[in-house]
Amino acid sequence: MSIIIKNGTIVTPKKSYISDIRIEDEIIVDIGENLEDDQAKIIDATGCLVFPGFIDSHTHFDLDTGYTRTADNFKTGTAAAIVGGTTTILDFATQNKGETLSEALTNWNKLAKDVSSCDYGFHMAITQWNEDIKDEIKIMCSQGITSFKAYMAYDNLRLNDGEIYDILKCLKKYNGLLSVHCENGDLVNTMIKEQLNSGNITPAAHPLSRPNIVESEAVSRYIDIANLAGAPIYIVHLSTKESLEEVVKARKRGQKVYVETCPQYLLLEDSLYLSDDFESAKYVLSPPLRKRDDLEKLWKALSAEEIDTIGTDHCSFNFKGQKDHGINDFSKIPNGIPGVEHRPVLMYSYGVDSGKITKEQMCSVLSENIAKIFGMYPRKGVIQVGSDADIVIWDVLSKGIISKDNQSQNVDYTPFEGFKTVGSAKHVFLRGKHVVENGNIIKRNSGKFIKRGGCNF
């Protein structure tokens, strides 16, 4: 049976227009006015926006940190994602020291297979680099893993500058893309010790150990390494005005630099780190929350289309039983916050509805840009004939309040507690399957692995 979505306002990055959409066998087969089919199921989208399914290219589900595991696995995390309108996620298959990349991919495939409620793919996080690992890059790309990640911080994960340079040179052969967590790991380690030696053990010391320059220096260095390698790059969770300035300068020189930020760096300030209150542990993530000036500069950059994508860096840990591991030492608080469920509604409420960005720009940074950058376009990220029928019918009149008590994420808090929202994902289709109806998930575990092509520059 076909499905016809009637009278909705289809949103694209360039324009929005009222039209009908007909779906058959997981694919969009027709777009036009007054589409008819006596056998079709009709969904009335009058007064609603119709977005391509949102894509979150930065999640951490079922992640083992060595002493705890994220509160959300692929089953719970992708269910929360689909309720919010996100139909595809890209998680990080992380290579443990001593593992091959193929072994890491096998591990993550097992975690996600048959339990994911949205489609999924992986970036490969490289934590060890040698000639054998280099030989695996071609194998990874042939299996649809065309984007990779390196860390400049965290001793158990980070690579040195020479290794990052070598990876960039290698990826050029396969249209691969390297995203990097940009923080100066040596400075972070030293400044954490400095805070602890001064008796600063509460979460308020977290942002003091990772000031803006710790990120911007690493961003600048990564840009320089990429310039030497002659390779395009992707910077995850950019959070500071100084880092943004480095990106703008590089682009003016002709470098291809893609930038992601996250809702927390647009909406939450470092004043939430209260010196005498362990509740602040809820906001311990890296990079940390920043000052109002940084937030305002990032909003302006988003409006000016200097930021390419909005991810979440969803990495959820319960406040009780996990975050409190660091109650006597802020450096032992598991880093990360939940967000995969609320990214679309936050961007609509505080971006589109407040006039900071347009609905067309929201479509770009939550859907189309991500699909293009990471080798999924035009299968994903766009409403056009021949594309997967990943569709979100967005109720612009819906209003709500974010709370831990009404979320689907499997975690005991939300950093956006009490945020008032406008709009919601009323209906969600995943490859033509009606998976969310009137805001409630009605079909789970329908997600499939997405084999991606080369990254598009």
Side-chain angles (χ1 to χ4, degrees):
M1 178 188 292
S2 65
I3 298 170
I4 297 179
I5 299 170
K6 296 192 72 70
N7 303 317
T9 300
I10 298 173
V11 183
T12 79
K14 293 184 178 179
K15 66 176 182 177
S16 298
Y17 60 99
I18 296 175
S19 194
D20 300 343
I21 303 168
R22 187 159 65 90
I23 301 165
E24 283 185 4
D25 298 327
E26 302 192 349
I27 303 296
I28 297 170
V29 295
D30 199 2
I31 299 173
E33 297 181 2
N34 302 314
L35 297 182
E36 299 292 342
D37 182 343
D38 292 340
Q39 304 301 313
K41 177 182 178 180
I42 304 298
I43 303 293
D44 185 9
T46 301
C48 294
L49 302 178
V50 182
F51 286 101
F54 303 125
I55 304 169
D56 190 344
S57 59
H58 195 152
T59 66
H60 297 279
F61 297 143
D62 218 339
L63 178 65
D64 186 352
T65 67
Y67 62 91
T68 192
R69 203 173 196 98
T70 50
D72 278 300
N73 56 25
F74 279 89
K75 187 176 184 67
T76 64
T78 57
I82 205 82
V83 166
T86 294
T87 55
T88 303
I89 60 97
L90 296 179
D91 205 88
F92 293 87
T94 303
Q95 171 204 28
N96 295 316
K97 293 290 175 64
E99 278 185 344
T100 66
L101 301 186
S102 294
E103 288 170 336
L105 181 58
T106 296
N107 293 339
W108 253 260
N109 274 324
K110 288 178 180 178
L111 294 175
K113 184 175 172 56
D114 298 328
V115 299
S116 293
S117 290
C118 59
D119 285 353
Y120 61 93
F122 302 111
H123 312 284
M124 177 58 64
I126 300 172
T127 63
Q128 191 172 11
W129 185 247
N130 53 45
E131 289 302 313
D132 290 335
I133 300 299
K134 183 186 289 190
D135 289 342
E136 283 197 277
I137 295 296
K138 182 179 180 180
I139 298 171
M140 289 296 102
C141 291
S142 70
Q143 295 183 54
I145 308 298
T146 52
S147 53
F148 300 79
K149 186 177 185 181
Y151 291 83
M152 287 178 152
Y154 302 120
D155 289 345
N156 62 324
L157 296 172
R158 63 172 164 156
L159 301 177
N160 64 45
D161 292 354
E163 291 167 330
I164 290 172
Y165 170 81
D166 200 29
I167 293 171
L168 288 170
K169 295 277 284 188
C170 178
L171 290 180
K172 287 173 61 178
K173 304 173 188 176
Y174 307 105
N175 287 333
L177 184 64
L178 183 67
S179 65
V180 168
H181 175 121
C182 292
E183 290 185 297
N184 184 310
D186 290 335
L187 282 177
V188 168
N189 290 345
T190 298
M191 297 181 84
I192 286 174
K193 290 178 183 177
E194 185 177 56
Q195 291 297 318
L196 293 174
N197 289 340
S198 298
N200 300 327
I201 64 170
T202 73
H206 176 64
L208 300 179
S209 70
R210 294 173 126 99
N212 284 27
I213 196 169
V214 166
E215 179 187 89
S216 62
E217 183 280 332
V219 166
S220 176
R221 182 156 40 98
Y222 182 37
I223 287 171
D224 286 342
I225 294 168
N227 193 29
L228 287 171
I233 57 173
Y234 188 90
I235 297 169
V236 295
H237 52 49
L238 184 137
S239 68
T240 70
K241 59 183 184 296
E242 293 90 350
S243 298
L244 184 64
E245 289 167 1
E246 294 297 331
V247 170
V248 171
K249 287 192 293 185
R251 286 171 172 168
K252 287 180 178 177
R253 295 194 300 265
Q255 282 189 251
K256 289 184 178 179
V257 182
Y258 299 97
V259 173
E260 165 201 280
T261 194
C262 309
Q264 54 266 32
Y265 302 122
L266 297 165
L267 297 171
L268 302 175
E269 297 180 36
D270 67 355
S271 58
L272 288 164
Y273 297 114
L274 304 174
S275 61
D276 59 349
D277 189 352
F278 191 72
E279 287 279 323
S280 301
K282 293 176 178 178
Y283 306 101
V284 169
L285 73 163
S286 296
L289 304 181
R290 303 300 187 182
K291 298 189 181 302
R292 177 174 291 275
D293 188 42
D294 293 293
L295 275 63
E296 291 175 349
K297 292 289 174 56
L298 292 183
W299 273 117
K300 289 179 181 177
L302 197 59
S303 177
E305 300 181 358
E306 294 173 340
I307 291 173
D308 302 288
T309 68
I310 304 291
T312 58
D313 195 8
H314 178 103
C315 191
S316 60
F317 298 99
N318 286 309
F319 179 63
K320 294 181 179 180
Q322 291 186 298
K323 288 281 189 179
D324 55 12
H325 183 77
I327 196 164
N328 295 313
D329 180 346
F330 76 92
S331 68
K332 295 180 179 178
I333 299 169
N335 274 223
I337 64 170
V340 73
E341 181 175 357
H342 297 130
R343 177 187 61 136
V345 75
L346 287 168
M347 293 310 301
Y348 186 82
S349 301
Y350 295 92
V352 177
D353 191 64
S354 70
K356 289 187 174 70
I357 61 172
T358 66
K359 60 184 181 296
E360 291 80 13
Q361 288 173 319
M362 176 173 162
C363 180
S364 291
V365 297
L366 264 61
S367 296
E368 187 166 305
N369 288 356
I370 301 173
K372 285 181 173 179
I373 291 169
F374 290 111
M376 293 181 280
Y377 186 88
R379 179 179 178 184
K380 302 289 188 183
V382 61
I383 294 176
Q384 70 178 32
V385 173
S387 296
D388 281 1
D390 297 341
I391 295 171
V392 179
I393 300 177
W394 191 263
D395 181 358
V396 298
L397 299 179
S398 174
K399 293 187 178 180
I401 298 176
I402 293 175
S403 170
K404 65 179 177 62
D405 298 323
N406 61 23
Q407 67 180 359
S408 298
Q409 297 166 150
N410 185 42
V411 60
D412 63 4
Y413 82 99
T414 166
F416 302 103
E417 185 74 36
F419 272 58
K420 295 180 180 179
T421 61
V422 177
S424 65
K426 184 176 182 179
H427 297 283
V428 180
F429 295 85
L430 175 65
R431 285 175 283 102
K433 295 185 180 73
H434 198 175
V435 293
V436 173
E437 184 175 19
N438 294 319
N440 299 307
I441 188 167
I442 59 172
K443 189 171 182 58
R444 299 173 185 267
N445 309 336
S446 297
K448 293 182 179 180
F449 173 76
I450 300 302
K451 183 177 180 179
R452 294 180 289 126
C455 297
N456 296 307
F457 312 120

